[in-house]
Amino acid sequence: MNNDYFFLENFYLLIQESYDLESALSICSKIKPHKDISLIQDYLKQGYSIDEAIQRSHLPPMFKEYFSFFQNKNILSKSIENSLRICKMYHDYLQQIKKKLSYPLLLLIFLLFFSIFVVFFLLPKVNLLFDSFGIEKSFFIKITMFIFQIIPLFFIIAIIVFVLIISNLYYGLKNKKFKIIEFYLSKPFTRKVLQKYFSLKFALFYNELLLEKLDSITIIHTLNQQLMKNDIKIVLYEIEERMMEGELIERILEDFIYFDDLFITFFKMLLEHPKAELSLQNYIDITFKQIEVSLYKIMKTLTSGIYVFVALFVIMIYIAIIIPMMNIISEI
């Protein structure tokens, strides 16, 4: 288990059993040392509250983000428990993504290095061999060698573009840059990802307050006040403004590009049947299953594509390099 999560789990369990903060932290330190325990203890001695001490610690940003929300409506142990539950759920899915991505990534890395080997080591020797025997390259061989030369460049450019897109999107979300987020929402692939991101995050927060039997206006106002530093704030602010002008929340959500159709369907179901309190929880569960299925399809397609590409790559090498070299050797 992640060391941060192991510490937090022990911490909230001890507080739940009525241990005082200092005793709970000391016991956690004895169970397994953690770099933030002494830091939190120091902040407490300086007069900071436990909430402030946790926010000033080096604990995962996602945990602190959810903790800042839960601490306003729960006791300490429950706030940590709820925040930890969501973080562990995210962590488990990230681990699944990494596990499923590892094999295709290894294939891509192998293909990249193999193409570099072909371009920088094999092709120069083949060209030298052709020149030494005065053999004119056919049109097919010239085209094949050109393709070999651009493959590493293609991989490098694709990696750079992917990193730049992810970095720019992360920057836009972290700093709540409307123009950057709206730009990616206008693109088909990133739109679907962002819509799932905002829908799932909105559903998680909204569902927690829904369980307290609050009405929509109170929930949106509470979320808008509590999530000042959260990227979902860019959605909450506009929703509350329009609700204050008399618009119905279902009309506002339908008009928003931030949410996917499945979320809007479940939300409407909730409004039409107020007793269906689990509708948003069902959406959350279904969405995670959707993510899992989508990842499986993407990995399957990606792996199959890499296999086909590798097979074509090897065949082209055999036709363009191996066969001509064998003909040269047979003529010697």
Side-chain angles (χ1 to χ4, degrees):
M1 183 188 291
N2 183 294
N3 196 30
D4 292 326
Y5 297 159
F6 186 66
F7 155 59
L8 289 167
E9 189 169 298
N10 289 321
F11 187 43
Y12 89 73
L13 286 173
L14 289 168
I15 294 171
Q16 213 169 48
E17 294 297 322
S18 301
Y19 284 84
D20 61 83
L21 293 176
E22 188 58 43
S23 298
L25 288 168
S26 297
I27 293 171
C28 286
S29 181
K30 288 181 173 62
I31 294 172
K32 188 174 182 180
H34 188 280
K35 60 183 183 299
D36 278 315
I37 293 177
S38 58
L39 187 63
I40 293 172
Q41 289 173 323
D42 290 340
Y43 281 130
L44 291 175
K45 289 175 183 176
Q46 293 173 31
Y48 290 101
S49 67
I50 184 61
D51 300 342
E52 293 171 324
I54 287 175
Q55 291 298 336
R56 287 171 173 268
S57 69
H58 301 119
L59 290 169
M62 179 180 285
F63 170 79
K64 292 193 288 187
E65 179 182 55
Y66 283 100
F67 178 74
S68 66
F69 168 72
F70 285 117
Q71 69 176 333
N72 293 311
K73 67 186 193 70
N74 289 316
I75 59 174
L76 179 61
S77 61
K78 196 67 178 174
S79 300
I80 297 175
E81 182 182 8
N82 288 343
S83 304
L84 189 58
R85 172 176 50 82
I86 295 173
C87 288
K88 287 171 74 174
M89 182 171 57
Y90 273 110
H91 182 264
D92 290 342
Y93 273 95
L94 280 175
Q95 290 301 110
Q96 287 184 36
I97 292 171
K98 289 177 182 177
K99 186 177 179 180
K100 291 176 181 178
L101 275 173
S102 59
Y103 183 62
L105 284 176
L106 284 174
L107 287 176
L108 283 171
I109 291 169
F110 165 77
L111 190 57
L112 174 61
F113 281 101
F114 184 62
S115 63
I116 290 173
F117 168 77
V118 170
V119 170
F120 292 100
F121 295 95
L122 188 58
L123 285 185
K125 294 185 182 299
V126 171
N127 284 324
L128 186 62
L129 191 60
F130 282 172
D131 292 339
S132 64
F133 284 91
I135 299 174
E136 184 69 26
K137 299 186 191 74
S138 67
F139 178 74
F140 174 76
I141 292 176
K142 287 180 180 179
I143 291 296
T144 304
M145 288 185 172
F146 175 74
I147 293 173
F148 287 156
Q149 289 172 347
I150 65 172
I151 286 176
L153 183 63
F154 169 78
F155 273 111
I156 293 169
I157 292 173
I159 291 169
I160 291 172
V161 169
F162 179 77
V163 171
L164 287 175
I165 289 173
I166 296 299
S167 301
N168 191 38
L169 183 55
Y170 176 77
Y171 170 79
L173 288 170
K174 186 177 181 181
N175 296 282
K176 297 184 278 294
K177 300 292 183 181
F178 294 93
K179 290 184 178 179
I180 294 176
I181 296 171
E182 288 177 357
F183 170 78
Y184 287 108
L185 280 168
S186 67
K187 308 303 175 185
F189 178 74
T190 49
R191 178 171 65 243
K192 290 182 180 180
V193 175
L194 281 172
Q195 283 179 335
K196 280 296 178 189
Y197 173 79
F198 281 111
S199 299
L200 184 58
K201 204 164 188 180
F202 184 86
L204 282 167
F205 286 122
Y206 194 98
N207 191 53
E208 289 296 329
L209 293 180
L210 186 65
L211 296 175
E212 297 185 8
K213 313 293 184 184
L214 300 177
D215 61 273
S216 297
I217 295 176
T218 304
I219 291 174
I220 295 298
H221 176 73
T222 304
L223 292 176
N224 196 28
Q225 295 299 312
Q226 291 185 3
L227 303 176
M228 298 297 290
K229 296 180 180 180
N230 199 295
D231 50 25
I232 200 74
K233 172 72 176 179
I234 61 178
V235 176
L236 294 168
Y237 176 79
E238 190 171 344
I239 292 175
E240 185 174 15
E241 287 290 306
R242 291 173 63 172
M243 287 181 75
M244 292 298 102
E245 293 173 2
E247 286 191 63
L248 296 174
I249 187 169
E250 58 266 36
R251 299 286 180 239
I252 300 170
L253 296 183
E254 281 180 347
D255 192 38
F256 263 30
I257 196 174
Y258 292 92
F259 300 115
D260 68 336
D261 293 336
L262 184 64
F263 170 74
I264 293 171
T265 301
F266 273 94
F267 199 87
K268 282 183 177 179
M269 191 185 304
L270 172 67
L271 295 176
E272 291 170 5
H273 306 282
K275 292 184 179 180
E277 296 175 352
L278 294 177
S279 61
L280 284 187
Q281 186 59 52
N282 290 335
Y283 167 77
I284 293 166
D285 295 338
I286 289 170
T287 297
F288 277 115
K289 289 177 182 177
Q290 274 187 325
I291 293 170
E292 191 172 344
V293 171
S294 297
L295 278 173
Y296 174 76
K297 288 181 178 178
I298 291 170
M299 293 306 105
K300 188 177 180 180
T301 304
L302 182 60
T303 305
S304 301
I306 293 172
Y307 280 142
V308 171
F309 192 84
V310 169
L312 291 173
F313 197 75
V314 172
I315 291 170
M316 289 173 70
I317 290 176
Y318 182 77
I319 295 173
I321 297 176
I322 304 300
I323 292 179
M325 288 179 66
M326 289 174 66
N327 291 335
I328 292 171
I329 292 170
S330 65
E331 292 174 3
I332 296 176

